[in-house]
Amino acid sequence: DGGITQSPKYLFRKEGQNVTLSCEQNLNHDAMYWYRQDPGQGLRLIYYSQIVNDFQKGDIAEGYSVSREKKESFPLTVTSAQKNPTAFYLCASSIARDPSYEQYFGPGTRLTVT
Amino acid sequence: AQKITQTQPGMFVQEKEAVTLDCTYDTSDQSYGLFWYKQPSSGEMIFLIYQGSYDEQNATEGRYSLNFQKARKSANLVISASQLGDSAMYFCAPWGSARQLTFGSGTQLTVLP
């Protein structure tokens, strides 16, 4: 079955540590996205990538970094510079960067930093 | 950034009844589109329906339909014949000249048996 996998589902870290969230897709999509969701709110865009070796900042990129070395993979690193890292993180992909294309979402990773 | 308003933080509907979830957006763009996504308690986002600003007919997908009124800048989601499995958060997400989705704060729908 084609889809997006994110692992792990729950992640716990101590303050001051960097942590990397995994996102893999086998849909052969060119575009991939990372969103953050805080309780009671909608999603906010962190980073997106239109193609391998290319990525752009979204609305809340500070304290985050990404890489896109393979078409299937778009890992997100939450650095110690991110002031409020505890949140639900969702990865998505679409056929292309065109916003009219549906985005397919993974199951999400819930990150707790204490 | 676009301002998205979903005025109903929580809604209740009886099973098998229809329900309308409101969404208004603030844009001066001529070309734009709008998605509705469903988020069950498990957390994943599920695509429901999409309509572009140049589409003349209101979109329908099974039990979901859009009441798209461009002059009022509203795109309300209508769910017909509600089912217990429809209980979830519902988000509208338009895009415009920034070419990225902006999500509203959502409406929590509860379907009562």
Side-chain angles (χ1 to χ4, degrees), chain A residues 38-55:
Chain A
D38 292 288
Q41 297 186 30
L43 280 61
R44 292 182 290 166
L45 182 65
I46 305 172
Y47 267 98
Y48 64 91
S49 168
Q50 300 185 77
I51 200 165
V52 174
N53 293 323
D54 171 80
F55 47 83

Side-chain angles (χ1 to χ4, degrees), chain B residues 59-99:
Chain B
T60 60
E61 291 277 356
R63 294 185 299 110
Y64 305 107
S65 61
L66 266 182
N67 182 3
F68 201 47
Q69 299 184 40
K70 286 197 291 186
R72 294 183 57 200
K73 298 186 180 177
S74 75
N76 299 336
L77 176 71
V78 180
I79 306 175
S80 63
S82 297
Q83 302 171 356
L84 295 177
D86 293 335
S87 293
M89 280 289 285
Y90 288 80
F91 294 95
C92 71
W95 62 265
S97 58
R99 303 188 70 71

Side-chain angles (χ1 to χ4, degrees), chain B residues 6-58:
Chain B
Q6 293 186 252
T7 56
Q8 309 146 313
M11 287 278 287
F12 293 87
V13 65
Q14 210 66 42
E15 195 178 4
K16 299 179 186 174
E17 300 280 312
V19 62
T20 299
L21 307 183
D22 296 340
C23 173
T24 58
Y25 52 90
D26 182 12
T27 183
S28 56
D29 296 325
Q30 294 299 309
S31 177
Y32 61 92
L34 188 140
F35 289 87
W36 275 91
Y37 279 89
K38 169 184 176 181
Q39 186 178 41
S41 56
S42 52
E44 77 274 23
M45 299 288 280
I46 302 167
F47 165 77
L48 296 178
I49 198 165
Y50 170 78
Q51 182 153 349
S53 58
Y54 292 116
D55 294 335
E56 294 189 357
Q57 302 264 357
N58 280 342

